[in-house]
Amino acid sequence: MPRLCFTRYFSPAFILIAVGGGVILGVVFIVLIYRMCSRYKQEREKESRVARVSFKLPPTRPDEITIKTQTKYPQQEYDDNENCPLDPEFYREEDTEEGSPFMGTAKLCFSLNYDQANEELLVCLLRATRLTPVGENVTVTPYVKIFLLPDKKRKVQSRVLRRTSNPQFFEDFVFAVSPEDLPNRTLEFTVCEFDRFSRQQVIGHVVYPLKEVNVMGSPEGTGEIWVNITNQDFQKGVDKGELLFSLQFLPTSCRLTVAVLKARGLGLQGEDNDLDPYVKVSMIMGGKTLKKRKTVANKKTANPVYNEAFVFTLLPSYLDRVSFMLSVFTVTRLGGSKKLIGRAVVGPYMYSTDQGLSHWNDMINSPRNPVAQWHTLI
């Protein structure tokens, strides 16, 4: 068999050039691979050096820790700003007087003086305390109208004060009245809730006969006079029912749980007992609602059972600055707006009294234990 001979077909010079070219291409290929590997290695080292730059993290503040909790009860989220930080100075009310903004006896303070030379009665409207919000409002925007009865045509009105249940007016009003007619007159104060989109909403009244005080006895006037503000619902003895709920506070996990259990004897003036009630829980600080939750509506009953719990993240340092309002509403079946049946408020001394204050104190004195109590709706 004949042997192949490359030299027969190719010259030695061509073979030498081909071998040299192959060697050069191989070297170039090796150099390219080496450079690519070197560049990749440099980029990896650069990334590793950036990742290993040392820095010191600032220590985590306790009030910035958000603890997520769960509950076995169903929840309906009414507001989704659960993790927003709370600044108590921002939500603090300007009014620092003692008094409950929602519960207890509302009072009105004023003073009287009579100018015999000009036959004028000077009424100085000073302040009011513990005003109750009307309707669905959680805060009060009050003003006062003053009449000198029996004259109902002439009235004077104070300025409107925003977002305060303990307003301070310090306004003077003058009525022209003779000394002989003064004992026959009666001052009427009507405390109202301001709402620019609807008719006036009356919080309460104060009726003060002038025959009960010696206005002309002293040139300096009568001094401060405190009178209870009467509410029409309490005068008529309207029974709105009772609400049972429990409070539980866990100091270590910063959780406050409000469990709405049930209600009984719910009633709405002018309506039958065929109600569809539900409860809205509002967390309030400084007159502003921070978070809201609500239960499922029970159909056609005045004694609903809820058994729903709502968890709020709350630091122990905020326990003296926050309050909770539980409002019971009913759903109208004819497509109208919801109607308020009544409400209950729990919180520290500045925000609640009687049942609400005692329930709040029992919760603080029994940490980690749920404390249940019936509350009369107002």
Side-chain angles (χ1 to χ4, degrees):
M1 185 175 180
R3 294 180 299 177
L4 294 175
C5 183
F6 289 98
T7 58
R8 183 177 177 179
Y9 298 101
F10 300 100
S11 64
F14 178 82
I15 295 174
L16 182 62
I17 293 174
V19 172
V23 172
I24 293 174
L25 289 176
V27 172
V28 171
F29 183 75
I30 294 173
V31 171
L32 289 176
I33 293 177
Y34 177 79
R35 293 191 63 179
M36 291 175 63
C37 293
S38 300
R39 181 174 297 179
Y40 178 75
K41 185 177 180 180
Q42 290 177 1
E43 292 177 355
R44 291 291 302 272
E45 291 179 353
K46 184 177 180 181
E47 293 176 358
S48 63
R49 287 197 301 270
V50 172
R52 287 195 298 266
V53 173
S54 61
F55 60 94
K56 186 177 181 181
L57 287 173
T60 305
R61 296 176 55 187
D63 56 352
E64 293 178 350
I65 299 177
T66 302
I67 302 174
K68 295 183 179 180
T69 59
Q70 294 181 350
T71 176
K72 64 181 180 180
Y73 298 95
Q75 296 192 40
Q76 283 194 352
E77 299 242 349
Y78 200 83
D79 193 1
D80 56 358
N81 56 351
E82 179 71 26
N83 297 328
C84 63
L86 303 179
D87 185 1
E89 298 301 329
F90 176 76
Y91 294 104
R92 185 184 297 274
E93 288 193 40
E94 297 180 359
D95 185 20
T96 58
E97 288 194 6
E98 294 184 353
S100 164
F102 302 115
M103 299 184 67
T105 303
K107 295 180 179 294
L108 184 71
C109 180
F110 59 93
S111 65
L112 304 175
N113 197 357
Y114 187 75
D115 185 358
Q116 298 187 18
N118 298 319
E119 297 187 352
E120 293 177 342
L121 175 66
L122 176 63
V123 180
C124 181
L125 180 63
L126 300 176
R127 62 176 68 87
T129 60
R130 302 184 179 184
L131 299 182
T132 304
V134 179
E136 303 177 15
N137 301 326
V138 297
T139 58
V140 184
T141 302
Y143 66 95
V144 181
K145 296 188 295 184
I146 306 176
F147 301 88
L148 186 60
L149 303 180
D151 185 7
K152 218 29 175 170
K153 296 181 180 180
R154 183 176 182 270
K155 68 176 181 180
V156 293
Q157 181 175 311
S158 71
R159 68 183 190 277
V160 178
L161 299 182
R162 304 285 180 180
R163 196 176 58 84
T164 175
S165 298
N166 302 304
Q168 298 184 4
F169 297 99
F170 294 102
E171 296 183 60
D172 295 330
F173 304 96
V174 177
F175 294 90
V177 56
S178 62
E180 296 78 12
D181 193 27
L182 188 62
N184 301 324
R185 295 297 187 99
T186 300
L187 279 174
E188 179 182 350
F189 301 85
T190 302
V191 185
C192 303
E193 169 85 16
F194 176 78
D195 189 350
R196 67 176 61 186
F197 300 109
S198 63
R199 300 178 60 184
Q200 67 174 17
Q201 297 176 315
V202 177
I203 298 176
H205 302 271
V206 169
V207 177
Y208 191 79
L210 295 180
K211 64 180 180 180
E212 297 181 358
V213 61
N214 186 10
V215 181
M216 297 181 292
S218 173
E220 298 179 357
T222 60
E224 292 187 355
I225 301 174
W226 288 88
V227 184
N228 292 339
I229 300 175
T230 58
N231 185 283
Q232 293 181 352
D233 288 345
F234 290 111
Q235 287 180 348
K236 297 178 182 179
V238 177
D239 186 10
K240 300 181 179 181
E242 293 180 294
L243 179 66
L244 176 64
F245 60 92
S246 68
L247 301 175
Q248 182 185 25
F249 182 67
L250 303 178
T252 54
S253 58
C254 303
R255 290 191 309 169
L256 194 149
T257 303
V258 181
V260 183
L261 304 179
K262 58 183 178 180
R264 64 187 180 190
L266 298 181
L268 188 63
Q269 186 177 7
E271 301 285 341
D272 54 14
N273 293 329
D274 196 12
L275 305 174
D276 296 340
Y278 68 92
V279 181
K280 183 173 72 172
V281 183
S282 304
M283 178 179 173
I284 304 171
M285 180 179 290
K288 294 184 179 179
T289 302
L290 303 185
K291 301 168 189 175
K292 291 182 286 187
R293 304 286 186 268
K294 67 176 181 179
T295 66
V296 178
N298 281 213
K299 301 295 184 180
K300 299 182 180 181
T301 178
N303 303 288
V305 177
Y306 300 103
N307 290 329
E308 298 186 44
F310 307 100
V311 179
F312 299 86
T313 302
L314 185 65
L315 293 174
S317 58
Y318 293 163
L319 288 177
D320 60 342
R321 304 169 185 174
V322 72
S323 62
F324 288 85
M325 175 186 291
L326 288 86
S327 304
V328 183
F329 293 90
T330 182
V331 180
T332 57
R333 300 188 183 90
L334 299 179
S337 60
K338 58 186 178 182
K339 294 184 178 181
L340 175 67
I341 299 176
R343 68 180 92 213
V345 176
V346 290
Y349 176 77
M350 287 295 295
Y351 301 100
S352 64
T353 58
D354 301 332
Q355 294 177 331
L357 179 60
S358 63
H359 195 179
W360 188 262
N361 291 335
D362 291 343
M363 177 199 68
I364 295 177
N365 297 329
S366 303
R368 303 177 183 85
N369 296 321
V371 180
Q373 182 175 321
W374 284 99
H375 290 255
T376 303
L377 299 178
I378 61 171

